Amino acid sequence: MSFLLDYFIHSIAFKTCVCIFFMLNILHVQSFEPQYSLETRYIDVPLDHFSAVAKPKYFKLRYLINAKYHVKGGPIFLYTGNEGDISIYGQNTGFMFDIAPVFNALVVFIEHRYYGQSLPFGNTSFSSPENLRYLTTTQALADFAYVVNELKKNFFENVISYDTYPFVAFGGSYGGMLAAWLRMKYPYLVLGAVSSSAPIFGFPGMASCELFYEKVTQVFEKYGREQCVKTIKLGWDVIVNLSKTKLGMDFISSSWKLCNRLKTNEDVEKLLNWLSNIYENLAMLNYHYPTDFFLPLPAYPVKVFCDKLTTSYFNDTKGLIEHFSNAIEIYTNYTGKKVCNNLNSTVEDYSERAWDYQSCTELVFPKCSTDADMFITKPWNYENYAAQCYKKFGVKALDPGWALMAYGGKNLKYYSNIIFSNGMMDPWSCFGVFTNRSATVWAFNITDAPHHVDLRHSDPADNNYILDARKFHIQAIKQWLNMV
Amino acid sequence: MSFLLDYFIHSIAFKTCVCIFFMLNILHVQSFEPQYSLETRYIDVPLDHFSAVAKPKYFKLRYLINAKYHVKGGPIFLYTGNEGDISIYGQNTGFMFDIAPVFNALVVFIEHRYYGQSLPFGNTSFSSPENLRYLTTTQALADFAYVVNELKKNFFENVISYDTYPFVAFGGSYGGMLAAWLRMKYPYLVLGAVSSSAPIFGFPGMASCELFYEKVTQVFEKYGREQCVKTIKLGWDVIVNLSKTKLGMDFISSSWKLCNRLKTNEDVEKLLNWLSNIYENLAMLNYHYPTDFFLPLPAYPVKVFCDKLTTSYFNDTKGLIEHFSNAIEIYTNYTGKKVCNNLNSTVEDYSERAWDYQSCTELVFPKCSTDADMFITKPWNYENYAAQCYKKFGVKALDPGWALMAYGGKNLKYYSNIIFSNGMMDPWSCFGVFTNRSATVWAFNITDAPHHVDLRHSDPADNNYILDARKFHIQAIKQWLNMV
């Protein structure tokens, strides 16, 4: 596979989620019915929280509120928004609503700057490095801190600005990193943080690059038939070989219903990358019941995919390609309404652009695939990655060691009141925290669980491991709030 | 005194120190003989630690090293530089050298960006808001973190970037704030912080504005004769009344050896401000032995000043003015070499400009004087203050509540391993931490002591309170380093 240019942007799974959501929500807008009622509010926050300027610029940050279970004086449960429209997270973090009545809590979701409606420069937010430079985790955390201060004044009486008020942070995935960091950097603002599936130990210098794809492979090995991983591995060679001729490219294009026919090597690379992303996302979203988080999927989508791929025999390469085509539709076209597949994962929607930028500057997760996993061989090289990013955004990534300096790497022993939970069958868990780091910085490893499922609503199909995790969270929050 | 414009820049004591140092070090350069040998080094640090840009700019940050007592593997004692040339602090923080042999410690002083030789834009560092915008505590702390990371690699073997290494932060005054904040924001980088005389509780919303001048008055009441404070109080009226005529202004100008004769109301305001600053600094630097910290002073300069002011009688206002003239010389001209006094506290030297900027943006300490103190009545008004700052630098101060949001105000209960020591006869102690804030965030109040005297070299005249403070520090550091 050496002809492949090493230009994959490796920060794919998160990104693809967001991107695919935007590709599909047009199709599935009908099926997306909000379960939770959330009132939309806005707050003017400083564009730059740290520097003094002649004319400080403020912009409208969106946040969502549900006060149904709130009793005056009760705690505020604060979701620290991810790389996407905050309303998606508002509808997919049912745990906060499930437990709000126990605590008389107000539920708040804060949108992350540069996502959803919280665009500092409106439509031009992504048009120049100068406009993008305020898209940093440091500024985003300061936004959350700023909102906490405002909520204090709105929901508590006679506020003394430096007293502790009962705020608890929640977040999943990147939002989980932010929840933990908020507690770490602003412990006087939130009493504790439930950080689910946060790949906080995944920065350069902290984790080997093979871990991620190995974990995806494990998920397919566990939930798919034995033959599935073998077939997927075989698939890469078949696709690459077939794509060497125009005839082969045409065959794949038509079999896989590609919106644009494969024509160049670059198109083929796009296809391979797109397929990788599908595998990653299937593993990440391998929930045990049907979901509509980013896109509609059946229960255990990895199993369903593998069943489709391997239940009947195929005689030749073209037969294999057809099998793939059927299997992929589980992911790309579960509702059966899609006309064609667009390989272009760089569609120009804002959220994807923002996450790409973050992946290119601060949030670099090293990923490489080797013979030990089911992916096409993909080396990891920081310099190449940074060069690609520079080409894309015209900025240089921060020092590879930046995240370690800014957030302490694995050295969390001086912090308190954080739960790092991880679904052990989530690919992102490979970058997670598995062991307790201090007397009150705990790890909770959830057997047989995908990406931040503990933060989702209670479901009859939840296994005991998930139930235990939620009990653990509730107990910890009670402790933080001095309720035990 | 209502004719006085309310335009004093209240952040005076620190600023004046620096400024007066620069005014006087030309005169006293001969008498300033370095006691401690410090090797000068430089490190390229990012101008902006947080944003990605097209061409990241680095600049040379200076740091000073003394390895005399260092044994390989021993701890690194790190002074987090203040608002001035770092060599001044290198020569006036003898405690670190005194205890280095006990710990086999390397002693390091890091210069604060925009001071001394660490100017990001050289001579143009202060010429525009754009060049000044990187002068923030957030960036300065990131500089220190950056240097810690570099020192790790230089002084320890087989460094794992996220492991803990034995760094201990020290700082006095603003440097003490930074030492504490470094431990608070980057606890994985420094095991603990000795923060002496740090006015960390002095931000708007945290402390009443009367405290500072009341504390200065207390120092004069304690160390000067009873008559001293009364005479100082009387002085304001006499000066103001006398300055209403040209004759009066001429008399003061010549009696007080002013370089430029008083001509306008503005000049008179400058004079009053200048006199205020002298009182503040006399109280702050009221050490029990002669010092050359910023400027040469006798032991107990407040006492010497008050003695001169009140030992003989005066018959009229002019006699009083002459008495003042003699007393002030203790401060302005202790070595007797000065020709005239320059009231212009805004001399264009870089350090003063940098501190003024910081006082105008993040480090706002509310100060007002009332009838309860010995100062001329001076109201405190944030808006007026901010307006004056805008006029001076063309930038708006950050939100008055910024420091509370950024550093937690008085809510330090989730932090660890910090000693906040305060000389109880230091004016700045009014903004200090007097009580323990967590199991290992301790206050140590030093009776009868001025500004961060515990960080100075051991002296035969040190009282037991000071000795106890140093013992406390040593014991705590041993604990942080797991030596007990």
Side-chain angles (χ1 to χ4, degrees):
Chain A
M1 324 290 170
S2 59
F3 79 94
L4 285 169
L5 285 175
D6 171 32
Y7 97 8
F8 293 102
I9 295 298
H10 291 245
S11 57
I12 24 193
F14 278 169
K15 184 190 70 179
T16 314
C17 274
V18 174
C19 139
I20 288 183
F21 169 79
F22 277 89
M23 284 158 62
L24 297 187
N25 72 347
I26 301 145
L27 277 169
H28 298 289
V29 76
Q30 264 75 26
S31 72
F32 183 66
E33 280 168 27
Q35 264 191 282
Y36 303 102
S37 156
L38 284 158
E39 185 200 327
T40 301
R41 297 195 184 177
Y42 299 90
I43 175 176
D44 288 323
V45 298
L47 174 65
D48 186 344
H49 288 274
F50 304 98
S51 298
V53 291
K55 285 187 188 165
K57 181 178 158 61
Y58 287 73
F59 70 97
K60 292 208 178 302
L61 196 81
R62 178 167 57 148
Y63 61 103
L64 312 175
I65 276 199
N66 177 305
K68 188 174 171 187
Y69 308 108
H70 184 226
V71 175
K72 205 173 168 77
I76 298 187
F77 288 171
L78 201 84
Y79 190 94
T80 49
N82 296 51
E83 68 284 17
D85 190 297
I86 192 62
S87 61
I88 303 175
Y89 299 91
Q91 294 305 325
N92 281 280
T93 316
F95 177 63
M96 289 171 70
F97 297 92
D98 289 347
I99 67 168
V102 180
F103 292 94
N104 302 325
L106 182 78
V107 176
V108 179
F109 289 81
I110 314 178
E111 192 155 66
H112 190 297
R113 56 167 58 198
Y114 287 84
Y115 293 96
Q117 296 178 9
S118 301
L119 305 176
F121 299 94
N123 288 345
T124 63
S125 295
F126 307 92
S127 62
S128 68
E130 189 45 46
N131 281 4
L132 272 164
R133 73 179 291 180
Y134 306 95
L135 174 49
T136 71
T137 53
T138 317
Q139 299 284 1
L141 291 170
D143 286 341
F144 299 145
Y146 198 89
V147 176
V148 168
N149 271 341
E150 286 307 302
L151 294 176
K152 261 190 205 174
K153 290 179 223 158
N154 295 346
F155 289 97
F156 297 95
E157 274 173 4
N158 308 318
V159 163
I160 295 169
S161 50
Y162 44 76
D163 266 8
T164 310
Y165 291 81
F167 285 81
V168 178
F170 295 75
S173 199
Y174 171 46
M177 299 170 81
L178 293 166
W181 288 341
L182 190 64
R183 170 67 191 169
M184 285 159 62
K185 294 293 183 187
Y186 299 87
Y188 40 86
L189 291 182
V190 293
L191 286 172
V194 179
S195 168
S196 179
S197 298
I200 211 158
F201 284 1
F203 292 110
M206 295 176 81
S208 321
C209 64
E210 318 88 56
L211 293 177
F212 187 82
Y213 291 122
E214 285 178 5
K215 196 75 200 176
V216 177
T217 307
Q218 273 176 37
V219 176
F220 275 74
E221 277 166 349
K222 183 177 168 71
Y223 293 95
R225 294 149 178 264
E226 196 198 341
Q227 202 55 33
C228 188
V229 164
K230 284 184 191 159
T231 312
I232 288 171
K233 275 187 172 179
L234 183 63
W236 301 115
D237 278 342
V238 170
I239 297 164
V240 169
N241 281 327
L242 210 54
S243 303
K244 285 177 179 165
T245 65
K246 186 182 174 300
L247 213 66
M249 286 202 267
D250 283 349
F251 179 75
I252 296 173
S253 305
S254 114
S255 169
W256 290 18
K257 297 179 188 144
L258 304 187
C259 302
N260 300 304
R261 292 194 160 263
L262 301 175
K263 282 177 190 158
T264 63
N265 281 349
E266 212 182 26
D267 293 342
V268 178
E269 283 151 29
K270 261 189 201 167
L271 179 81
L272 297 170
N273 199 20
W274 177 78
L275 191 56
S276 280
N277 290 350
I278 289 176
Y279 297 151
E280 292 169 33
N281 292 338
L282 281 167
M284 185 171 85
L285 303 172
N286 191 39
Y287 295 112
H288 47 285
Y289 48 79
T291 51
D292 195 358
F293 180 40
F294 294 120
L295 78 170
L297 284 174
Y300 291 118
V302 168
K303 184 180 176 303
V304 179
F305 175 91
C306 283
D307 284 351
K308 278 227 177 186
L309 186 66
T310 59
T311 39
S312 62
Y313 290 97
F314 48 86
N315 298 323
D316 54 7
T317 50
K318 290 195 173 173
L320 179 63
I321 291 293
E322 296 286 4
H323 273 67
F324 268 104
S325 170
N326 289 335
I328 289 165
E329 290 234 321
I330 289 301
Y331 183 86
T332 58
N333 193 19
Y334 183 52
T335 55
K337 294 176 183 166
K338 204 168 177 188
V339 179
C340 66
N341 290 314
N342 185 351
L343 299 185
N344 201 352
S345 65
T346 58
V347 285
E348 280 306 316
D349 80 72
Y350 292 137
S351 286
E352 197 214 0
R353 186 93 180 141
W355 180 250
D356 263 6
Y357 180 82
Q358 291 199 270
S359 305
C360 271
T361 50
E362 297 177 50
L363 304 172
V364 177
F365 298 105
K367 290 183 193 169
C368 61
S369 56
T370 66
D371 287 347
D373 62 55
M374 68 182 203
F375 286 82
I376 195 165
T377 306
K378 219 183 273 187
W380 165 256
N381 178 297
Y382 187 84
E383 284 66 36
N384 289 358
Y385 180 81
Q388 188 62 26
C389 285
Y390 187 83
K391 205 169 135 189
K392 201 162 184 177
F393 292 104
V395 298
K396 271 198 73 173
L398 298 178
D399 281 351
W402 178 83
L404 296 184
M405 193 194 79
Y407 297 113
K410 294 187 178 177
N411 188 347
L412 307 179
K413 66 177 134 183
Y414 300 105
Y415 295 111
S416 57
N417 295 2
I418 306 175
I419 301 169
F420 288 105
S421 61
N422 275 287
M424 299 310 281
M425 280 295 124
D426 169 21
W428 287 98
S429 70
C430 69
F431 298 142
V433 181
F434 292 151
T435 54
N436 295 347
R437 314 303 289 191
S438 83
T440 61
V441 173
W442 297 310
F444 196 101
N445 306 331
I446 316 173
T447 307
D448 277 352
H451 208 46
H452 53 80
V453 69
D454 48 336
L455 294 190
R456 295 184 64 84
H457 66 273
S458 172
D459 188 279
D462 291 334
N463 65 30
N464 282 336
Y465 305 114
I466 297 169
L467 300 183
D468 285 348
R470 295 201 184 115
K471 279 183 205 153
F472 188 82
H473 298 342
I474 293 168
Q475 198 55 25
I477 296 165
K478 283 185 176 170
Q479 200 170 308
W480 300 340
L481 294 171
N482 278 324
M483 288 169 66
V484 285
Chain B
M1 321 288 172
S2 61
F3 78 96
L4 285 168
L5 287 175
D6 172 31
Y7 97 7
F8 293 102
I9 296 297
H10 291 247
S11 58
I12 20 192
F14 278 168
K15 184 191 69 177
T16 314
C17 274
V18 174
C19 138
I20 288 183
F21 169 79
F22 279 90
M23 286 156 65
L24 298 187
N25 73 347
I26 302 146
L27 277 170
H28 298 290
V29 76
Q30 264 78 24
S31 72
F32 183 64
E33 280 167 27
Q35 264 192 281
Y36 302 102
S37 157
L38 284 158
E39 185 199 328
T40 301
R41 296 194 185 177
Y42 299 89
I43 176 176
D44 288 322
V45 298
L47 174 66
D48 185 343
H49 288 274
F50 303 100
S51 298
V53 290
K55 286 186 189 166
K57 182 178 157 60
Y58 288 73
F59 70 96
K60 291 205 180 303
L61 196 80
R62 177 168 56 149
Y63 62 103
L64 312 175
I65 277 199
N66 177 305
K68 188 174 171 186
Y69 308 108
H70 184 226
V71 175
K72 205 174 168 77
I76 298 186
F77 288 172
L78 202 83
Y79 190 95
T80 50
N82 296 50
E83 70 284 18
D85 190 298
I86 192 61
S87 61
I88 303 174
Y89 299 92
Q91 294 304 324
N92 281 280
T93 316
F95 176 64
M96 289 171 70
F97 298 91
D98 288 347
I99 68 168
V102 179
F103 293 93
N104 301 326
L106 182 78
V107 176
V108 179
F109 289 81
I110 314 179
E111 192 156 67
H112 190 296
R113 55 167 57 199
Y114 287 83
Y115 293 96
Q117 297 178 9
S118 302
L119 304 176
F121 300 93
N123 288 346
T124 62
S125 296
F126 307 92
S127 62
S128 69
E130 190 44 47
N131 282 3
L132 271 163
R133 73 179 288 181
Y134 306 95
L135 174 49
T136 72
T137 54
T138 316
Q139 299 283 2
L141 290 170
D143 287 340
F144 298 146
Y146 198 90
V147 176
V148 168
N149 271 340
E150 286 306 302
L151 294 176
K152 261 190 205 174
K153 291 179 223 157
N154 295 345
F155 290 97
F156 297 96
E157 275 173 4
N158 308 319
V159 162
I160 295 169
S161 50
Y162 44 76
D163 266 10
T164 311
Y165 292 82
F167 284 81
V168 177
F170 294 77
S173 200
Y174 172 46
M177 301 169 81
L178 293 166
W181 288 341
L182 190 64
R183 171 68 192 168
M184 286 160 62
K185 295 292 184 188
Y186 299 87
Y188 41 85
L189 291 182
V190 293
L191 287 171
V194 179
S195 168
S196 179
S197 298
I200 210 157
F201 284 2
F203 293 110
M206 294 175 80
S208 322
C209 65
E210 318 89 54
L211 293 177
F212 188 82
Y213 292 121
E214 285 178 5
K215 195 75 201 177
V216 177
T217 307
Q218 273 176 37
V219 176
F220 275 74
E221 278 166 351
K222 182 177 168 72
Y223 293 95
R225 295 148 177 265
E226 197 199 342
Q227 202 54 34
C228 188
V229 164
K230 284 186 191 159
T231 312
I232 288 170
K233 275 189 171 178
L234 183 63
W236 302 115
D237 279 342
V238 170
I239 297 163
V240 169
N241 282 328
L242 210 54
S243 303
K244 286 178 179 165
T245 64
K246 185 182 175 300
L247 214 62
M249 286 202 265
D250 283 349
F251 180 74
I252 296 173
S253 304
S254 114
S255 168
W256 290 17
K257 296 180 188 145
L258 304 187
C259 302
N260 299 305
R261 292 193 159 264
L262 301 175
K263 282 176 188 157
T264 64
N265 281 348
E266 212 183 26
D267 294 342
V268 178
E269 283 151 30
K270 262 190 201 167
L271 178 82
L272 297 170
N273 199 20
W274 177 79
L275 192 57
S276 280
N277 290 349
I278 290 175
Y279 296 151
E280 292 168 34
N281 291 337
L282 280 168
M284 183 170 85
L285 304 171
N286 191 38
Y287 296 112
H288 48 286
Y289 49 79
T291 51
D292 196 358
F293 181 40
F294 294 121
L295 77 171
L297 284 174
Y300 291 118
V302 168
K303 183 181 178 303
V304 179
F305 175 92
C306 283
D307 284 351
K308 277 226 178 188
L309 186 66
T310 59
T311 38
S312 63
Y313 291 98
F314 49 85
N315 297 323
D316 55 7
T317 51
K318 291 195 174 172
L320 179 63
I321 291 294
E322 297 285 3
H323 273 67
F324 268 104
S325 171
N326 288 336
I328 289 165
E329 291 234 322
I330 289 301
Y331 183 85
T332 58
N333 194 18
Y334 183 53
T335 55
K337 294 175 183 168
K338 203 169 178 187
V339 179
C340 67
N341 289 314
N342 184 352
L343 298 185
N344 200 352
S345 66
T346 58
V347 283
E348 280 306 317
D349 80 73
Y350 292 137
S351 285
E352 197 215 1
R353 186 91 180 145
W355 181 250
D356 262 5
Y357 180 83
Q358 292 200 269
S359 305
C360 270
T361 51
E362 298 177 48
L363 304 172
V364 177
F365 299 104
K367 291 182 192 169
C368 61
S369 57
T370 66
D371 286 348
D373 62 55
M374 68 182 204
F375 287 82
I376 195 163
T377 305
K378 220 184 272 187
W380 165 255
N381 179 295
Y382 187 84
E383 284 66 36
N384 290 358
Y385 181 81
Q388 188 64 25
C389 284
Y390 187 83
K391 206 169 135 191
K392 202 162 185 177
F393 292 103
V395 298
K396 272 200 72 174
L398 299 177
D399 281 352
W402 178 83
L404 295 184
M405 193 193 78
Y407 298 113
K410 293 186 177 177
N411 188 348
L412 307 180
K413 65 175 133 182
Y414 300 105
Y415 295 111
S416 57
N417 295 2
I418 306 174
I419 301 168
F420 288 105
S421 61
N422 275 289
M424 299 311 281
M425 281 295 125
D426 169 21
W428 287 98
S429 70
C430 70
F431 298 143
V433 181
F434 291 151
T435 55
N436 295 348
R437 314 303 289 192
S438 84
T440 60
V441 173
W442 296 311
F444 197 101
N445 307 330
I446 315 172
T447 307
D448 276 352
H451 207 46
H452 52 79
V453 68
D454 48 336
L455 293 190
R456 296 184 63 82
H457 66 274
S458 171
D459 188 278
D462 291 335
N463 65 30
N464 282 335
Y465 305 114
I466 298 169
L467 300 184
D468 285 348
R470 296 201 184 116
K471 278 183 205 153
F472 188 83
H473 299 341
I474 293 168
Q475 198 55 25
I477 296 166
K478 282 185 176 170
Q479 200 169 307
W480 301 340
L481 294 171
N482 278 322
M483 288 169 65
V484 284

Coordinates of all heavy atoms in Angstrom, one line a residue, chain B residues 213-243:
Chain B
Y213 N -4.0 51.9 53.0 CA -3.5 53.1 53.7 C -3.6 53.1 55.2 O -2.8 53.6 55.9 CB -4.2 54.4 53.1 CG -3.8 54.6 51.7 CD1 -4.7 54.7 50.7 CD2 -2.5 54.8 51.3 CE1 -4.4 54.9 49.3 CE2 -2.1 55.0 50.0 CZ -3.0 55.1 49.0 OH -2.7 55.3 47.7
E214 N -4.6 52.3 55.6 CA -4.7 52.1 57.1 C -3.5 51.3 57.6 O -3.0 51.6 58.7 CB -6.0 51.4 57.4 CG -7.2 52.3 57.3 CD -8.6 51.6 57.6 OE1 -8.5 50.4 58.0 OE2 -9.6 52.2 57.4
K215 N -3.1 50.4 56.8 CA -2.0 49.5 57.3 C -0.7 50.3 57.2 O 0.1 50.2 58.2 CB -1.8 48.3 56.3 CG -1.0 47.2 56.9 CD -1.6 46.4 58.0 CE -0.6 45.7 58.8 NZ -1.2 45.0 59.9
V216 N -0.5 51.2 56.2 CA 0.7 52.1 56.2 C 0.7 52.9 57.5 O 1.7 53.1 58.1 CB 0.7 53.0 54.9 CG1 1.9 53.9 55.0 CG2 0.7 52.1 53.7
T217 N -0.5 53.5 57.8 CA -0.6 54.3 58.9 C -0.2 53.6 60.2 O 0.5 54.1 61.1 CB -2.0 54.9 59.0 OG1 -2.4 55.5 57.8 CG2 -2.2 55.9 60.2
Q218 N -0.7 52.3 60.3 CA -0.3 51.5 61.5 C 1.2 51.3 61.6 O 1.7 51.4 62.7 CB -0.9 50.1 61.3 CG -2.3 49.9 61.8 CD -2.8 48.5 61.5 OE1 -2.1 47.5 61.6 NE2 -4.1 48.4 61.2
V219 N 1.9 51.2 60.5 CA 3.3 51.0 60.5 C 4.0 52.3 61.1 O 4.9 52.2 61.9 CB 3.9 50.6 59.1 CG1 5.4 50.6 59.2 CG2 3.3 49.3 58.6
F220 N 3.5 53.4 60.6 CA 4.0 54.7 61.1 C 3.7 54.9 62.6 O 4.5 55.4 63.4 CB 3.5 55.8 60.3 CG 4.4 56.1 59.0 CD1 4.3 55.2 57.9 CD2 5.3 57.1 59.0 CE1 5.1 55.4 56.8 CE2 6.1 57.3 57.8 CZ 6.0 56.4 56.8
E221 N 2.5 54.4 63.0 CA 2.1 54.6 64.4 C 3.0 53.7 65.3 O 3.4 54.1 66.4 CB 0.6 54.2 64.6 CG -0.3 55.3 64.2 CD -1.8 54.9 64.1 OE1 -2.0 53.7 64.1 OE2 -2.6 55.8 63.9
K222 N 3.3 52.5 64.8 CA 4.1 51.6 65.6 C 5.6 52.0 65.7 O 6.2 51.9 66.7 CB 3.9 50.2 65.0 CG 4.7 49.1 65.9 CD 4.5 47.7 65.3 CE 5.4 46.7 66.0 NZ 5.1 46.4 67.4
Y223 N 6.1 52.3 64.6 CA 7.6 52.5 64.5 C 8.0 54.0 64.7 O 9.2 54.3 65.0 CB 8.2 51.9 63.2 CG 8.1 50.4 63.2 CD1 7.0 49.8 62.6 CD2 9.0 49.7 63.9 CE1 6.9 48.4 62.5 CE2 8.9 48.3 63.9 CZ 7.9 47.7 63.2 OH 7.8 46.3 63.2
G224 N 7.1 54.9 64.4 CA 7.4 56.3 64.6 C 6.9 56.8 65.9 O 6.1 56.2 66.6
R225 N 7.3 58.0 66.3 CA 6.8 58.6 67.5 C 5.3 58.9 67.3 O 4.9 59.1 66.1 CB 7.5 59.9 67.8 CG 8.9 59.7 68.2 CD 9.7 61.0 67.7 NE 11.1 60.8 68.1 CZ 11.6 61.4 69.2 NH1 10.8 62.1 70.0 NH2 12.8 61.2 69.5
E226 N 4.6 59.1 68.4 CA 3.1 59.4 68.3 C 2.9 60.6 67.4 O 1.9 60.7 66.6 CB 2.6 59.6 69.7 CG 1.1 59.5 69.8 CD 0.6 60.1 71.0 OE1 1.3 60.4 72.0 OE2 -0.6 60.5 71.0
Q227 N 3.8 61.6 67.6 CA 3.6 62.9 66.9 C 3.7 62.7 65.4 O 3.2 63.5 64.6 CB 4.7 63.8 67.4 CG 4.5 65.3 67.2 CD 3.1 65.7 67.8 OE1 2.7 65.1 68.8 NE2 2.4 66.6 67.2
C228 N 4.4 61.6 64.9 CA 4.7 61.5 63.5 C 3.5 61.5 62.6 O 3.4 62.2 61.6 CB 5.5 60.2 63.3 SG 6.2 60.1 61.6
V229 N 2.5 60.6 62.9 CA 1.3 60.5 62.1 C 0.5 61.8 62.1 O 0.1 62.2 61.1 CB 0.4 59.3 62.6 CG1 -1.0 59.4 62.0 CG2 1.1 58.0 62.2
K230 N 0.5 62.4 63.3 CA -0.2 63.7 63.4 C 0.4 64.7 62.4 O -0.2 65.5 61.8 CB -0.2 64.2 64.8 CG -1.2 63.5 65.7 CD -1.2 64.2 67.1 CE -2.0 63.3 68.1 NZ -1.7 63.6 69.5
T231 N 1.7 64.8 62.5 CA 2.5 65.7 61.7 C 2.3 65.5 60.2 O 2.1 66.4 59.4 CB 4.0 65.7 62.0 OG1 4.1 65.7 63.4 CG2 4.7 66.8 61.4
I232 N 2.3 64.2 59.8 CA 2.1 63.8 58.4 C 0.7 64.3 58.0 O 0.5 64.8 56.9 CB 2.3 62.3 58.2 CG1 3.7 61.9 58.3 CG2 1.7 61.8 56.9 CD1 4.0 60.4 58.4
K233 N -0.3 64.0 58.8 CA -1.7 64.4 58.5 C -1.7 66.0 58.3 O -2.3 66.5 57.4 CB -2.6 64.0 59.6 CG -3.1 62.6 59.5 CD -4.2 62.4 60.6 CE -4.9 61.1 60.4 NZ -5.9 60.8 61.4
L234 N -1.1 66.6 59.2 CA -1.1 68.1 59.2 C -0.4 68.6 57.9 O -0.9 69.5 57.2 CB -0.3 68.6 60.4 CG -0.2 70.1 60.6 CD1 -1.5 70.8 60.8 CD2 0.8 70.4 61.8
G235 N 0.6 67.8 57.5 CA 1.4 68.2 56.3 C 0.5 68.4 55.1 O 0.8 69.3 54.3
W236 N -0.4 67.5 54.8 CA -1.2 67.6 53.6 C -1.9 69.0 53.5 O -1.8 69.6 52.4 CB -2.3 66.5 53.6 CG -1.8 65.1 53.6 CD1 -2.0 64.2 54.7 CD2 -1.0 64.4 52.7 NE1 -1.4 63.0 54.4 CE2 -0.7 63.1 53.2 CE3 -0.4 64.8 51.5 CZ2 0.1 62.2 52.5 CZ3 0.4 63.9 50.8 CH2 0.6 62.6 51.3
D237 N -2.5 69.4 54.6 CA -3.2 70.7 54.6 C -2.2 71.8 54.3 O -2.5 72.8 53.5 CB -3.9 71.0 55.9 CG -5.3 70.2 55.9 OD1 -5.8 69.8 54.9 OD2 -5.8 70.0 57.0
V238 N -1.1 71.7 55.0 CA -0.1 72.8 54.8 C 0.4 72.9 53.4 O 0.4 73.9 52.8 CB 1.1 72.5 55.8 CG1 2.2 73.4 55.5 CG2 0.6 72.6 57.3
I239 N 0.7 71.7 52.8 CA 1.2 71.7 51.4 C 0.1 72.3 50.5 O 0.4 73.1 49.6 CB 1.6 70.3 51.0 CG1 2.7 69.7 51.8 CG2 1.9 70.2 49.5 CD1 2.9 68.2 51.8
V240 N -1.1 71.8 50.7 CA -2.2 72.2 49.8 C -2.4 73.7 49.9 O -2.5 74.4 48.9 CB -3.5 71.4 50.0 CG1 -4.7 72.0 49.3 CG2 -3.3 69.9 49.6
N241 N -2.5 74.2 51.1 CA -2.7 75.6 51.3 C -1.6 76.5 50.8 O -1.8 77.5 50.1 CB -2.9 75.9 52.8 CG -4.3 75.6 53.2 OD1 -5.3 75.7 52.4 ND2 -4.5 75.1 54.5
L242 N -0.4 76.1 51.1 CA 0.8 76.8 50.6 C 0.9 76.8 49.1 O 1.3 77.8 48.5 CB 2.1 76.1 51.2 CG 3.3 77.0 51.5 CD1 2.9 78.1 52.4 CD2 4.4 76.1 52.2
S243 N 0.5 75.7 48.5 CA 0.6 75.6 47.0 C -0.5 76.5 46.3 O -0.5 76.5 45.1 CB 0.4 74.2 46.6 OG 1.3 73.4 47.2

